Amino acid sequence: MSSDEQEEPLGVRIRSFDKRKDGSRVEELERMCEVGSTKSPFLFTDTLGDPLCRIRNSPSYKMLVAELGEEMVGIIRGSIKIVSVGNPKPNPNTTPNEGEAKVGYILGLRVSPLFRRRGIGLLLVCKMEEWFMANLVDYAYMATEKKNEASIKLFADKLGYSKFRSSMILVNPVKQHVVHIPSNVVIEKLTLAQAENLYRKFMSSTEFFPKDIDRVLTNKLSLGTWIAHAQGESWNGLEDDRSSSSSSSISTPTSWAMLSVWNCVEVFKLRVGRAPCACVLLAKVSRLISRVLLPCIRVPSMPDLFTPFGFYFMYGIHGEGLLASKLVNSLCHHVHNLAVEREDCKVIVTEIGGSDELRHHIPHWKFLSCSEDLLCMKALMISKNEDIPFTDWTKTPSPPTLFIDPREV
């Protein structure tokens, strides 16, 4: 047995994922663990043959599998990065830069329905935490729906995670027609250097802002960053100089907004399964009316979510000034119009802090969105030296805004 494998008391063997021998078995396990009960609609994820697709773009990542005999009974994914903590006193023993922390993100925990309630999920999380601690990670965190009682019971009750932050996942369908953008709003695409400069100057203290934002923006899946402002106003100092660190060097319009877009279409596909026949029929009829019978009226249509579809993810949403909400809304319409050009992009998705005021101005359909997503966090590396000041991030007040890294979608 290699050093990468460990036999556990349960008879379960935990080891690193091996694409050559595990790829098809992981896909089969995830099909067995489709989200939802046997009677409710569920959301199925097709990783397009790459089980690592949801973590591959992170600075450091790992996937573990659990086996019982020759059968794969569980999987878990994790990634590591450095982010802004939103408070001035991170752990000085492991984080050299003030306001930053090394965090590990847990996602994609799956246990075969035939082997649940045996402690396999608990074992997988503990093994992932061991990898985090070996890499000097300060905090581990995960995301789940507030209604997911099984997940919350595992992480909060058994593993000591705190219910840390809340967020909203907003989903807007891509209609068959472009959306009007007010003529007095100017939308411009930034260069990569300009985008990085603007994010570092105006969002670097936002919770979960990634230290390697440059790697996010230059990733092939990032389609670009756009800013919006009123007609007749302009920017001064929005240069490509990455060395400039003072936001005072930029003279902004009285109101402005920005966001970036991540192309999830190229990473994986989603599909709604076990939907009532009436929903499928309604979707087909609404698309027919919108496309053929009444194209001039722009009747809203339900996208086809019952066959595999992709989506664009909006991230880094920020606005300032009295017209910020209007400008964010215009940017969202611009992203929608970009998506209209892609036949396989059916929805626009974003995730935003649960108390972020901009949430009211991002177009979305309520019944497609999740208004109560929950982040749970656990401190892994806490200073034992009482003479060193330390503020546990898990116990700090919740800010209105969060930076959601598109690499963790």
Side-chain angles (χ1 to χ4, degrees):
M1 185 178 297
S2 70
S3 59
D4 191 43
E5 300 180 9
Q6 280 188 279
E7 190 82 30
E8 298 301 324
L10 295 168
V12 177
R13 184 169 67 255
I14 305 294
R15 61 172 175 82
S16 292
F17 167 78
D18 183 330
K19 183 178 181 180
R20 180 182 55 82
K21 62 181 180 181
D22 295 333
S24 60
R25 295 203 297 164
V26 168
E27 290 182 352
E28 177 61 28
L29 176 61
E30 295 207 303
R31 276 193 289 270
M32 294 173 63
C33 299
E34 293 166 340
V35 178
S37 68
T38 56
K39 296 182 179 180
S40 304
F42 61 84
L43 189 64
F44 175 70
T45 302
D46 181 356
T47 58
L48 305 179
D50 181 12
L52 297 173
C53 65
R54 295 183 62 194
I55 53 176
R56 185 177 295 283
N57 292 288
S58 297
S60 180
Y61 59 88
K62 192 176 188 69
M63 182 172 178
L64 299 175
V65 301
E67 292 178 317
L68 189 58
E70 296 300 316
E71 187 167 0
M72 182 177 290
V73 295
I75 56 175
I76 192 172
R77 300 171 177 89
S79 62
I80 297 173
K81 64 182 178 182
I82 297 176
V83 301
S84 169
V85 302
N87 75 69
K89 295 178 181 178
N91 189 337
N93 286 348
T94 58
T95 305
N97 297 315
E98 193 172 88
E100 294 177 351
K102 199 171 190 179
V103 297
Y105 181 56
I106 294 173
L107 71 161
L109 174 61
R110 301 282 187 268
V111 175
S112 168
L114 301 176
F115 294 90
R116 290 175 182 169
R117 301 182 185 278
R118 300 191 189 184
I120 296 173
L122 178 69
L123 184 60
L124 281 166
V125 176
C126 289
K127 289 301 177 184
M128 185 59 71
E129 289 181 350
E130 287 180 12
W131 178 64
F132 288 160
M133 288 187 283
N135 286 275
L136 302 180
V137 165
D138 297 294
Y139 299 92
Y141 73 104
M142 53 78 70
T144 187
E145 287 188 47
K146 288 186 178 179
K147 296 179 181 178
N148 191 335
E149 295 180 3
S151 181
I152 293 174
K153 183 177 181 180
L154 172 62
F155 282 90
D157 297 348
K158 295 184 178 180
L159 286 161
Y161 282 68
S162 301
K163 296 177 182 179
F164 182 58
R165 302 288 186 252
S166 63
S167 66
M168 299 179 68
I169 299 174
L170 305 179
V171 181
N172 196 45
V174 176
K175 305 174 182 65
Q176 295 172 329
H177 313 285
V178 297
V179 180
H180 172 70
I181 297 174
S183 58
N184 61 347
V185 173
V186 176
I187 295 178
E188 302 176 74
K189 187 175 183 179
L190 299 177
T191 67
L192 292 172
Q194 287 173 337
E196 180 187 348
N197 194 14
L198 207 56
Y199 274 126
R200 291 198 185 279
K201 289 180 176 179
F202 291 98
M203 295 198 74
S204 61
S205 62
T206 303
E207 277 196 351
F208 291 104
F209 180 85
K211 185 176 181 179
D212 64 338
I213 185 65
D214 54 321
R215 291 184 60 178
V216 178
L217 296 170
T218 56
N219 190 289
K220 64 181 180 180
L221 297 175
S222 194
L223 297 180
T225 302
W226 287 264
I227 55 173
H229 57 85
Q231 186 81 40
E233 295 197 68
S234 61
W235 294 78
N236 291 316
L238 191 61
E239 68 289 325
D240 289 7
D241 180 12
R242 302 185 188 201
S243 64
S244 176
S245 59
S246 173
S247 59
S248 61
S249 63
I250 292 182
S251 175
T252 65
T254 55
S255 295
W256 62 279
M258 69 183 297
L259 59 73
S260 299
V261 182
W262 190 263
N263 183 11
C264 292
V265 175
E266 306 296 340
V267 183
F268 57 88
K269 294 290 192 294
L270 301 173
R271 175 176 58 83
V272 175
R274 205 178 291 117
C277 294
C279 291
V280 179
L281 181 60
L282 175 63
K284 290 182 177 179
V285 171
S286 67
R287 290 195 301 275
L288 177 65
I289 293 175
S290 179
R291 184 176 66 250
V292 180
L293 301 181
L294 298 169
C296 297
I297 302 179
R298 300 290 192 265
V299 177
S301 61
M302 166 80 81
D304 181 8
L305 306 180
F306 312 107
T307 56
F309 65 92
F311 64 96
Y312 283 171
F313 183 79
M314 301 186 301
Y315 68 98
I317 301 175
H318 181 71
E320 297 192 7
L322 295 176
L323 300 178
S325 57
K326 173 186 176 181
L327 296 172
V328 165
N329 185 265
S330 294
L331 283 172
C332 293
H333 288 328
H334 176 72
V335 176
H336 171 274
N337 293 344
L338 293 175
V340 169
E341 300 174 5
R342 287 212 54 155
E343 187 175 349
D344 51 354
C345 182
K346 300 300 183 183
V347 295
I348 308 294
V349 182
T350 193
E351 187 170 359
I352 194 166
S355 57
D356 194 325
E357 284 300 314
L358 291 177
R359 71 189 188 280
H360 301 296
H361 308 284
I362 297 174
H364 63 280
W365 281 17
K366 240 179 197 182
F367 77 95
L368 292 177
S369 303
C370 172
S371 61
E372 294 185 322
D373 213 39
L374 180 68
L375 292 180
C376 296
M377 179 176 280
K378 178 180 180 179
L380 297 180
M381 308 284 282
I382 297 180
S383 173
K384 299 298 189 298
N385 188 341
E386 295 181 358
D387 296 328
I388 299 177
F390 173 69
T391 300
D392 186 351
W393 188 13
T394 64
K395 295 178 172 60
T396 59
S398 178
T401 59
L402 302 172
F403 192 101
I404 305 299
D405 194 323
R407 298 173 295 185
E408 297 177 351
V409 175

